[in-house]
Amino acid sequence: MAKKRVVSIKLNGDPVEFLCEPRQTLLEVLRDTLDMTGTKEGCSNGNCGACTVLMDGRPVTSCLVLAVEAEGAEVRTVEGVACGSHLAPVQQAFLEGAALQCGICTPGFIMQTEALLAENPSPTEEQVRFYLAGNLCRCTGYDKIVRAVMCAADKRRAAMDD
Amino acid sequence: MRDFDYAVPSTLTDALALMAGASVARPLAGGTDLIDHVRTGRLAPDLLVDIKKLPELNRLEASPSGLRLGASVPCWKVIASTEISRDYTALVDSCRIIGGIQIQNRASVGGNLCNSGPAADSIPSLIALGAQCVIASKDGTREVPVEAFCTGPGKNVLQPGELLVELKFPARAVRSGSHYRRFIPRNEMDIAVVGVGASVTLDESGQRITDARIALGAVGPTPLLATDAAQALIGQAFDEVAIAKSVAAAKAIATPISDMRGTAEYRVHLVGVLLARVLKAAVARARGETFTYQPGH
Ligand code: FES
Ligand code: FES
């Protein structure tokens, strides 16, 4: 078996070290080694976006990233989105807009939306749909998700103006 | 997943030594194809050589003599580059539709080329823009034009121990423009049924074509340089007659298969529809008009 490596990352703001095999994906390590099960596994081949996390601010599918590749990176998962017990505007908007049913796609959508709104605080509906194209949902039919994202964008802007 | 070792060299010399050493070494850039291929058993490497830390493979240098694009530069950096957006627009059109945003944040143009899929979205753009592959091994360096790189589905000229280092593009000619588009039955996140890339140069009047390169994807075992389709335009006024001649020549070299994405006949028809649209967009860009490719429209 290939030698295990020590990998150091920043996870949701905190320095974290873990031991992993080269063949383990970041998704596997997050869920199985670090017990951060908020990030979901859907397809494990890059198609569904359920495993989306932010690496150095950019959304990536963590099932297609080897954990050893994350050395030195800043990783953000859905566990790092809320502020204490206060949901972030994006989470609040998904909840209020009933933008989920089974919920397995939700952490991926939340992270992708976080990245979208950081890049473009006032997206059009078309821009939202295009940016979220790498996230699949088998339950909602997407409309409620898109509306929640638009609503989250409004909330975030309002919060920033305060 | 299969057990393999991992190395992340910091110099090209070290990387080439690793590529030449192990029994089965594969270079790892964005990994969006490679990791899936290892997981499914399509590839069985003993060693993955992470090439993302090599300066030569991270280069993105636009100068009056052309563009040098390192083989591991991810799509998002290509999209974000003002120089590539301005002068090598077809490549940005391609990168914006390779997978979704998450994939574009990892996947590299070099990897898309080395994967050598017949429907790879970046390859017709690379061919149309006249890119050359710089390939290195521990024994030296060679250059291959992109149209001669792929040899079959998933196959290319790379020999064991060789690594694609960078893509070199000639300087953009004055009054030239380029475009790539594909047909898919959805708006995004799909594999091209047919893809067409073209680059055209106009004379001073902006009416006559003085140079052209056209490339077709997903209509043969490898992406194709459509030489006759380009010849049909060179020296001609850009009008419906010239477009029709070019379309006929392009359709003549298309040898697509029928599969779940479309029949061979349908694909040949699409070559004509897409080429006409691509040429009009490339000419508009050559004239300095703004043409924004909105996939799905
Ligand atoms: S689990 Fe990673 S994209 Fe589906
Ligand atoms: S809520 Fe079930 S997959 Fe999206």
Side-chain angles (χ1 to χ4, degrees), chain B residues 112-113 116-124 180 217-218 223:
Chain B
N112 193 238
L113 175 59
S116 303
D121 284 310
S122 73
I123 306 181
Y180 171 81

Side-chain angles (χ1 to χ4, degrees), chain B residues 134-159:
Chain B
V134 180
I135 297 167
S137 72
K138 66 179 191 6
D139 303 322
T141 304
R142 62 180 178 127
E143 289 196 15
V144 175
V146 172
E147 58 269 28
F149 183 83
C150 300
T151 52
K155 297 203 170 69
N156 56 51
V157 299
L158 289 177
Q159 298 299 312

Side-chain angles (χ1 to χ4, degrees), chain A residues 9-11 22 32 36 38-39 46-47 54 59-60 83 118 132 135:
Chain A
I9 63 171
K10 217 174 201 191
L11 183 56
D32 302 343
M36 306 281 277
T39 305
N47 269 301
L54 307 190
V60 301
C83 184
L132 299 183
N135 293 74

Side-chain angles (χ1 to χ4, degrees), chain A residues 1-3 5 21-25 28 44-47 49 52 55 58-61 63-66 68-69 71 112 126 129-131 133-136, chain B residues 1-7 28-33 35-36 39 48 50 52-53 76 96-97 100-106 186-189 294-295 297:
Chain A
M1 198 176 76
K3 211 167 88 262
R5 314 291 171 110
E21 290 178 50
R23 63 172 164 181
Q24 283 184 290
T25 62
E28 270 172 73
S44 250
N45 62 22
N47 269 301
T52 300
M55 234 174 119
R58 307 200 144 267
V60 301
T61 43
C63 68
L64 292 183
V65 177
L66 297 177
V68 285
E69 290 182 273
E71 171 62 42
Q112 190 68 9
E126 172 144 4
R129 288 186 185 271
F130 198 72
Y131 203 91
N135 293 74
L136 303 185
Chain B
M1 196 170 1
R2 176 193 170 82
D3 189 31
F4 52 77
D5 217 329
Y6 169 87
L28 167 69
T32 54
D33 284 312
I35 292 171
D36 185 49
R39 199 193 322 261
L48 295 193
D50 191 339
K52 288 189 290 296
K53 298 266 161 32
W76 75 267
R96 285 185 64 225
I97 56 177
I101 304 287
Q102 292 98 319
I103 298 296
Q104 289 160 19
N105 282 337
R106 299 292 290 172
R186 350 177 28 221
N187 288 342
E188 63 280 293
M189 288 286 286
Q294 279 190 293
H297 290 267

Side-chain angles (χ1 to χ4, degrees), chain B residues 15-26:
Chain B
L16 294 173
L18 288 164
M19 290 298 297
S23 45
V24 189
R26 299 292 299 202

Side-chain angles (χ1 to χ4, degrees), chain B residues 81-103:
Chain B
S81 156
T82 41
E83 288 95 346
I84 302 181
S85 300
R86 186 188 63 216
D87 294 338
Y88 304 91
T89 327
L91 187 58
V92 173
D93 296 332
S94 292
C95 288
R96 285 185 64 225
I97 56 177
I98 293 177
I101 304 287
Q102 292 98 319
I103 298 296

Side-chain angles (χ1 to χ4, degrees), chain A residues 27 40-51 61-63:
Chain A
L27 174 64
K40 302 303 180 202
E41 175 174 19
C43 62
S44 250
N45 62 22
N47 269 301
C48 77
C51 65
T61 43
S62 59
C63 68

